Amino acid sequence: DMADSTTMGSSYVQTTVTATLPAGFESDLAAHVSGTDVDVLFSVMQEAPTLQGVTPISPLVTMLFAHSGQSIAVQGLSDPIEIKIPIDRSKLCPVHARHP
């Protein structure tokens, strides 16, 4: 039962990433699934890979919802899912690192 908002998190030595499901998430989800059992996979890759020469300044975060082994596309929520991802200012170019 998700009557109140639910916060999930993943902590590492340098960063903490959190995701908060809104209080109305369960009722919004009822439009997509029958029943109330929903799996949530929340993963954080601390050192995201360099892509096409670009080094990410934050962890790579994914969130997947599933019901009975099938992925659920969560859309049209009354309130958004809040995900907080910190950035690593040491990975910014020198000018941006000095001026947040």
Side-chain angles (χ1 to χ4, degrees):
D1 182 7
M2 293 186 233
D4 296 316
S5 66
T6 301
T7 300
M8 298 169 278
S10 181
S11 295
Y12 290 90
V13 175
Q14 297 174 353
T15 61
T16 298
V17 175
T18 60
T20 303
L21 301 177
F25 182 76
E26 188 174 9
S27 59
D28 288 345
L29 200 59
H32 300 282
V33 299
S34 60
T36 58
D37 292 335
V38 174
D39 298 315
V40 180
L41 174 63
F42 180 66
S43 70
V44 176
M45 181 184 296
Q46 178 65 25
E47 292 295 325
T50 298
L51 303 169
Q52 299 178 0
V54 176
T55 302
I57 61 171
S58 66
L60 177 64
V61 177
T62 62
M63 182 175 256
L64 173 80
F65 298 92
H67 177 69
S68 299
Q70 298 295 315
S71 177
I72 302 168
V74 179
Q75 300 172 340
L77 297 175
S78 300
D79 293 303
I81 296 171
E82 180 180 300
I83 300 176
K84 292 184 180 181
I85 306 171
I87 62 168
D88 180 354
R89 293 192 184 283
S90 70
K91 293 182 180 178
L92 292 172
C93 69
V95 172
H96 290 98
R98 288 191 309 258
H99 304 287

